[in-house]
Amino acid sequence: MKNVSLEVSGMSCGHCVNAVEGSVGKLPGVSLVKVHLEIGKVDVEYNEDQVNLEAIKETIDDQGYDVK
């Protein structure tokens, strides 16, 4: 398992948290998604054999947020 902490801008409310955690959490191989709204970070634990970092970033981007 790999852990990554991504900087994500544009999140401002509970809906944002649910959108990111829900969409990323549905990806195969993702075992944990935790949004830290107050600091603009998203922690993700995932299996690199099932999903790559780019797919995770794209999923967050598809929800309308900017990933750095």
Side-chain angles (χ1 to χ4, degrees):
M1 292 302 244
K2 182 163 182 156
N3 292 298
V4 67
S5 185
L6 302 169
E7 285 186 44
V8 180
S9 60
M11 300 182 300
S12 61
C13 63
H15 170 76
C16 302
V17 172
N18 292 336
V20 172
E21 289 182 350
S23 62
V24 174
K26 288 180 183 172
L27 293 172
V30 172
S31 59
L32 174 83
V33 184
K34 179 66 180 154
V35 172
H36 303 281
L37 188 61
E38 63 284 346
I39 58 173
K41 294 215 181 259
V42 177
D43 294 333
V44 183
E45 182 178 280
Y46 64 99
N47 183 334
E48 288 180 289
D49 293 335
Q50 295 180 281
V51 67
N52 61 37
L53 184 57
E54 283 308 309
I56 293 167
K57 287 181 174 181
E58 270 184 38
T59 300
I60 295 170
D61 186 64
D62 287 348
Q63 294 300 313
Y65 309 104
D66 295 321
V67 183
K68 296 177 182 141

